[in-house]
Amino acid sequence: MPEEGTKFVEAFKAAVRPEPRRTHRTERQGALPAVVLCGDETAGGDPDPAAVAVRELAAYVCPDVAHRGARHALIEPGRLVAGPDRTVCDEVIDQLQGAELNGVGRLRLPEVALLKSLLDRNTGVGRDGDRETANGLRDYAYEKLCDRHRGLMALRWLAGGRQPDLGAGRGLRDFLFILLPVPLFYFLPRWLWTLRCDRRLLRQAKRFPWWSFARGREAHPEAGRFFDTAIAWRRRLRDAEGHEKAELMERAMWAALLSDLRHANRPGRLRPYRRRRRTRCVVLLSPPADGRREVFDRFLKAYEDACEVIPYASVVLVAGMRGVGDGAKSLADVAARWKPQRTPERQLARLSEPLPTSGTPVPPLPVPYFRPVARPGGELGIELTASAAALAVTAWLVMTGVPSQGNNTTPCLGGDEPPETSAPKVPVSPASPEEYAQARNLINEENSRVDKEAPPGHVRTVFYLGANRGNTRFGSGLPELRGVFMGQLEANQRAQGDQNHGIWLKVEVRDAGVRFKNAVDVARRIVTQAAENRDVIGVVGFAESRTESRAAISELTAAKIPVIITSSTANAMLPGRNDEFVHRISPVNSRETDVEAAFVRHGAIVGDDSGDCHTARAAVVVRDSHDLYSNELGEQFREKFERLTGAPAYSVAYDQNAGASAPPPAGVTTDDITQVARTVCGRLGEEDRTLLYWAGRAEDFSSFLRAFGERTTCTSRHLTVLGGNELTNAALAGEFPGDNRLRLYHTVHALPVGDARRTGPANRFSNAYADTWKNDLWRNDGHAAQGRDAIILMADAASTVSTGGQTVTSGLVQNTLYNGGDTVNRVGASGALRYVQGVADPQNKPVIILRHFDKGNPVPVLVCGAFTLDAEDDYTRWGPDRQYECPTDR
């Protein structure tokens, strides 16, 4: 056996297994130098001697010192790569943590885990230009810490999970829950952990210098917050490129690893596994290929620089190198000097003598080890028992105190006071027959202008099918009819500017009667007229999802006439055949209920006399099983509410012919609105935090409010209501006045006028609307915008066909609409119209939830969806701090 190789191996094993008691203090004063084994240049296919030497050392590490608790990492040439998000040190960390050794427990690397959480969070500039915040990075890092720390994971579970519910109901138990578990088990640990990071890594930087080293600063005490400095470091890392970024990441990872190993390898008073850990960690690197020499040198340079700042001798690093370097010493010389030193300069060892071959016996070194009497499990059991007793005493002291709730409350979404700006004045009759007639007359005047000014062959006809609800506040017919006129005017103005390909539109208005009772007969007459007049290219309208309107759509699609539905939202409105001839403007019930269920799951909307607000613990769903829109909306919301919240949803079917209906599961059926009000009142008595979801029609809701306030015992109770877009018109018209005990939220399909998030087309439309009909209450309603978007969509499809040099027919218009894409996609007044081939619904169409005030403008409390054609601009999060995700179309 070569003498020189034997001396080197003996020194290597002594470095791996130092005498802990006598050298523990001196090791803190220095670090082991990085040793590089060099061999002569190999010729032909001969193996590289440095690589052979490293593998032979690995053969000694694994069988001889692993049973003593030595962790090792062997980096083969194939693993010596560093991508944009991974360093060589990452591979070292993975191997050290993955080693399974008996009696020493798993290796904990908290500083490395903290650094990785800072690197893993992939957040840049948001949609509104908001850069990531220090609090957001702190929350992400703390959640990662809870995921791997069993104690903090248990505390988070006691606090209610990742997003603790701060709402509290009635009773002592709920009062204690909001007062103790959430602040004590979630916010307090997170706050203390944040203070600990600030204190250790900034104000005690000389004791914990790894973060200062990673940032490239001197390790001196600093003021400020750790996560603010982390944001700046992430920004610097994001702006760096190539070699600079890899160098920054390698330095940071080595610094964090050495800092963790310094604490992991020293004796611990209350940690039996750490008391048994008496060996250094070993890192062995085979020589890299010529093309990877830069990664190799960067790795060694980062280690040496980190050891100067964190000089604790916790790592034995041996690497190979191709060729003999200048000033290389023999193996015996390196072995004689292999001791901790303050500045661990790299040492080069010439392989003048080979190492002992694998299997050659090497005399064991008589190194004393710590031999405890008890097993690790027994010591750990004693420590856990003592810790549990201390926690029990602490909990008893806290529980026996007299806590005070103070003035901390959770405000309700949308607030309790109306905005300072006043709402438009509500007229006595907001939807009079005269106003319907005025809108129809304007459309007829525009039709006459088209007949006079449009070039021959450039005129096409579109039918509008709506329902007149004159002298009521509930119908969407008037704003939708006004929107259709404005869309026709805009389309014709554009066609007037394109004499060669512009298509002028005439609009024929057809009234389907109250509740679309005459819709089928009107549709059949349209089919007959379309067969006689080839200039008819489609039908728009259908503001209500009723059985009659669905049957009318079936008549039109059977004749292969394209239909664009304005504000009818039921999924079931698609006919049984020729579905591809139907296209929609509004989001359908399935998307709307997805958003509403998420809103109820996370939103603090259920109020009480204390001024505090909570999430709902139960719901009452009122629907009409004989109404297509109402039944579908109510059933979908009930199912999603129960699935997301785990809370019960009680169903009330308000049917005019209740005798023909079977009672719903967990609910009742009645044709008496007073009975509906009393049922809701009874559910409020069982659970204060009960939400009323109104899936019925607006006129029935008005009757319900009167019955609830006059014929029940709940006149003094708070009532929180969430309703669909059906309530929009009546709510904006002031139909639902009341005091602060009625909290009404309802969906709408366009942002209110004045909202900063409105797009240019939406603002231009509202301004044009105000110029034509003044500042009336329908400006904040989405039905007018949807009527305009339907006509513009039909006009765009016709213009696309004409631009292609083809004669505009209903069939070619249908093909254009069906194909979707850039030919018809546009930014509308009601949001982005993004269609994909074969899908009737626009993707991620906006859903807005308003907080209703009977005096004052409504307040948007949730905005989800697409307002532009760029998917990066979509509103994908909502909430006071945008902490909740918006459901999206898939």
Side-chain angles (χ1 to χ4, degrees):
M1 179 175 62
E3 181 179 359
E4 188 179 60
T6 303
K7 290 182 178 179
F8 181 83
V9 171
E10 290 178 355
F12 170 75
K13 294 174 69 174
V16 174
R17 302 179 305 181
E19 295 184 5
R21 296 274 181 198
R22 285 177 295 201
T23 62
H24 176 66
R25 292 185 180 274
T26 60
E27 285 177 355
R28 293 185 180 182
Q29 308 304 318
L32 292 177
V35 174
V36 180
L37 301 181
C38 301
D40 294 331
E41 291 287 346
T42 59
D46 295 336
D48 182 69
V52 174
V54 169
R55 284 195 292 269
E56 288 179 352
L57 282 178
Y60 283 102
V61 172
C62 297
D64 192 47
V65 298
H67 72 282
R68 297 287 189 178
R71 299 179 183 272
H72 68 280
L74 174 60
I75 308 300
E76 296 289 349
R79 294 183 176 180
L80 195 59
V81 293
D85 298 319
R86 184 170 178 84
T87 64
V88 180
C89 195
D90 283 307
E91 179 65 25
V92 173
I93 292 170
D94 291 345
Q95 293 195 33
L96 294 181
Q97 286 188 308
E100 296 181 0
L101 307 176
N102 295 326
V104 296
R106 65 186 181 92
L107 182 62
R108 302 175 187 273
L109 303 176
E111 309 292 2
V112 170
L114 173 61
L115 180 62
K116 286 188 175 182
S117 66
L118 300 181
L119 292 171
D120 290 344
R121 189 165 192 250
N122 186 17
T123 303
V125 180
R127 183 195 64 255
D128 295 328
D130 299 332
R131 294 188 178 271
E132 64 174 339
T133 62
N135 288 341
L137 186 61
R138 176 206 63 187
D139 296 345
Y140 178 85
Y142 183 74
E143 287 294 336
K144 289 291 185 181
L145 175 64
C146 292
D147 290 341
R148 62 180 181 268
H149 194 288
R150 295 178 181 177
L152 293 178
M153 185 184 302
L155 293 179
R156 184 178 63 181
W157 177 80
L158 291 174
R162 291 178 178 271
Q163 296 170 340
D165 184 7
L166 295 181
R170 55 188 175 85
L172 179 61
R173 184 190 65 179
D174 294 329
F175 173 77
L176 293 177
F177 179 81
I178 183 177
L179 192 65
L180 293 179
V182 174
L184 182 63
F185 297 137
Y186 190 86
F187 293 121
L188 179 61
R190 187 181 68 183
W191 178 71
L192 293 175
W193 173 74
T194 306
L195 288 182
R196 184 172 181 266
C197 291
D198 297 342
R199 177 178 56 83
R200 292 170 70 249
L201 302 180
L202 295 183
R203 287 178 280 280
Q204 295 181 357
K206 291 185 178 181
R207 293 181 57 192
F208 303 91
W210 75 268
W211 177 242
S212 298
F213 172 79
R215 296 166 55 207
R217 293 174 176 267
E218 296 181 3
H220 60 81
E222 293 183 68
R225 299 171 57 191
F226 165 74
F227 286 99
D228 288 331
T229 64
I231 291 291
W233 180 73
R234 277 171 53 87
R235 189 179 302 117
R236 178 188 174 191
L237 191 66
R238 185 169 56 246
D239 296 338
E241 297 181 0
H243 176 79
E244 182 184 0
K245 180 177 181 181
E247 184 179 7
L248 290 175
M249 293 180 62
E250 199 79 71
R251 284 169 52 91
M253 294 304 299
W254 257 125
L257 176 61
L258 291 179
S259 181
D260 280 330
L261 294 180
R262 180 178 68 174
H263 293 84
N265 289 340
R266 66 183 182 184
R269 295 182 176 85
L270 298 178
R271 296 181 181 180
Y273 289 108
R274 199 167 71 176
R275 283 198 293 270
R276 287 161 172 77
R277 199 175 296 142
R278 286 292 181 267
T279 57
R280 296 185 176 104
C281 294
V282 181
V283 179
L284 303 173
L285 288 87
S286 291
D290 294 339
R292 299 174 181 172
R293 185 63 177 269
E294 180 184 356
V295 178
F296 180 84
D297 291 337
R298 183 169 61 239
F299 178 82
L300 292 178
K301 183 64 167 57
Y303 168 77
E304 293 167 358
D305 292 344
C307 285
E308 292 182 6
V309 180
I310 308 173
Y312 190 89
S314 58
V315 176
V316 179
L317 175 61
V318 179
M321 178 177 292
R322 300 182 185 276
V324 180
D326 296 334
K329 302 177 180 64
S330 66
L331 292 177
D333 294 336
V334 172
R337 297 182 56 191
W338 204 344
K339 295 180 181 179
Q341 58 187 28
R342 184 63 182 175
T343 304
E345 297 178 356
R346 184 186 308 177
Q347 295 184 1
L348 302 180
R350 181 187 294 112
L351 294 176
S352 57
E353 295 289 339
L355 295 177
T357 59
S358 179
T360 302
V362 178
L365 299 179
V367 180
Y369 288 94
F370 173 67
R371 301 181 184 277
V373 177
R375 292 181 176 272
E379 292 185 15
L380 185 60
I382 296 174
E383 294 172 5
L384 291 177
T385 301
S387 300
L391 288 175
V393 172
T394 303
W396 179 80
L397 292 175
V398 172
M399 294 294 293
T400 55
V402 182
S404 175
Q405 185 178 12
N407 297 323
N408 295 326
T409 60
T410 303
C412 292
L413 288 180
D416 292 316
E417 298 295 332
E420 296 180 359
T421 56
S422 59
K425 185 179 180 180
V426 178
V428 177
S429 178
S432 65
E434 291 77 14
E435 289 175 308
Y436 276 95
Q438 179 191 21
R440 286 195 297 268
N441 290 336
L442 291 175
I443 292 176
N444 292 333
E445 292 176 3
E446 181 63 17
N447 290 340
S448 299
R449 188 178 77 90
V450 170
D451 290 335
K452 295 178 182 178
E453 300 180 10
H458 286 247
V459 178
R460 296 296 182 269
T461 300
V462 176
F463 282 91
Y464 167 71
L465 199 153
N468 187 339
R469 282 190 182 183
N471 289 323
T472 70
R473 299 176 185 261
F474 309 112
S476 59
L478 179 59
E480 185 175 86
L481 190 60
R482 289 176 171 178
V484 166
F485 164 70
M486 297 186 66
Q488 178 194 18
L489 193 63
E490 182 179 345
N492 290 339
Q493 288 173 350
R494 292 192 305 182
Q496 191 173 5
D498 185 0
Q499 296 295 328
N500 295 326
H501 304 292
I503 299 299
W504 298 60
L505 293 184
K506 295 176 61 177
V507 176
E508 298 292 337
V509 179
R510 295 293 182 266
D511 189 353
V514 178
R515 299 187 178 183
F516 280 80
K517 63 180 180 180
N518 303 325
V520 176
D521 293 336
V522 173
R524 289 170 180 168
R525 289 196 293 270
I526 292 175
V527 170
T528 301
Q529 291 181 253
E532 298 174 353
N533 182 6
R534 296 300 179 180
D535 289 340
V536 175
I537 60 173
V539 178
V540 300
F542 299 100
E544 299 177 16
S545 301
R546 298 188 182 273
T547 306
E548 295 82 0
S549 53
R550 181 174 62 177
I553 292 176
S554 297
E555 294 288 339
L556 296 170
T557 57
K560 297 185 178 180
I561 298 176
V563 177
I564 298 180
I565 301 176
T566 52
S567 53
S568 174
T569 59
N571 294 68
M573 283 296 288
L574 292 180
R577 58 176 180 171
N578 294 337
D579 289 351
E580 66 273 14
F581 282 82
V582 179
H583 315 276
R584 287 191 273 221
I585 298 295
S586 60
V588 291
N589 286 348
S590 57
R591 169 164 173 74
E592 185 171 319
T593 51
D594 282 341
V595 175
E596 291 172 336
F599 173 72
V600 174
R601 164 67 178 85
H602 301 292
I605 58 176
V606 182
D608 55 26
D609 289 331
S610 67
D612 203 5
C613 253
H614 324 282
T615 56
R617 286 185 175 173
V620 180
V621 180
V622 177
R623 61 182 177 85
D624 184 350
S625 60
H626 296 282
D627 187 308
L628 190 65
Y629 159 83
S630 176
N631 186 63
E632 181 182 276
L633 191 72
E635 281 301 295
Q636 289 187 1
F637 177 81
R638 181 187 63 81
E639 175 186 352
K640 295 170 183 177
F641 174 82
E642 291 181 342
R643 184 175 70 250
L644 283 181
T645 65
Y650 192 83
S651 182
V652 178
Y654 174 58
D655 299 343
Q656 298 299 323
N657 51 348
S661 302
V668 297
T669 299
T670 180
D671 60 352
D672 184 3
I673 196 66
T674 301
Q675 182 61 33
V676 174
R678 290 173 178 170
T679 302
V680 173
C681 178
R683 304 306 298 183
L684 288 176
E686 296 182 12
E687 173 58 65
D688 282 344
R689 292 167 60 176
T690 296
L691 169 78
L692 172 60
Y693 182 79
W694 190 268
R697 296 292 175 176
E699 54 264 41
D700 298 330
F701 182 64
S702 183
S703 302
F704 163 82
L705 289 180
R706 287 194 295 270
F708 187 84
E710 298 173 1
R711 302 178 184 178
T712 69
T713 59
C714 293
T715 56
S716 61
R717 284 187 177 272
H718 289 262
L719 178 64
T720 301
V721 183
L722 174 61
N725 187 55
E726 169 70 16
L727 300 183
T728 298
N729 304 87
L732 295 177
E735 178 66 19
F736 311 130
D739 55 17
N740 56 4
R741 297 187 181 277
L742 172 63
R743 178 172 293 276
L744 174 60
Y745 299 90
H746 62 92
T747 59
V748 68
H749 297 154
L751 286 167
V753 175
D755 194 289
R757 292 164 288 193
R758 287 173 62 92
T759 60
N763 287 327
R764 288 192 293 270
F765 171 76
S766 59
N767 292 336
Y769 185 97
D771 292 340
T772 306
W773 286 287
K774 309 305 179 186
N775 188 25
D776 74 353
L777 57 96
W778 304 126
R779 289 187 67 198
N780 288 325
D781 188 7
H783 293 94
Q786 288 175 323
R788 176 262 184 195
D789 288 348
I791 290 293
I792 292 297
L793 182 62
M794 188 74 76
D796 283 350
S799 297
T800 300
V801 174
S802 178
T803 303
Q806 298 172 296
T807 302
V808 179
T809 63
S810 61
L812 293 178
V813 169
Q814 158 59 20
N815 290 338
T816 303
L817 293 172
Y818 179 81
N819 291 331
D822 295 336
T823 57
V824 294
N825 289 355
R826 64 181 296 109
V827 178
S830 61
L833 301 177
R834 298 203 303 240
Y835 294 92
V836 297
Q837 185 176 17
V839 179
D841 309 318
Q843 301 301 294
N844 288 336
K845 191 69 193 302
V847 176
I848 300 106
I849 296 182
L850 300 181
R851 163 72 163 99
H852 166 69
F853 292 100
D854 59 325
K855 295 180 180 179
N857 282 319
V859 175
V861 293
L862 177 146
V863 178
C864 289
F867 291 89
T868 70
L869 297 182
D870 188 356
E872 297 295 329
D873 295 336
D874 290 2
Y875 285 78
T876 58
R877 305 192 70 84
W878 69 277
D881 298 316
R882 296 173 56 192
Q883 65 269 45
Y884 308 122
E885 291 187 3
C886 290
T888 57
D889 295 333
R890 296 177 177 86

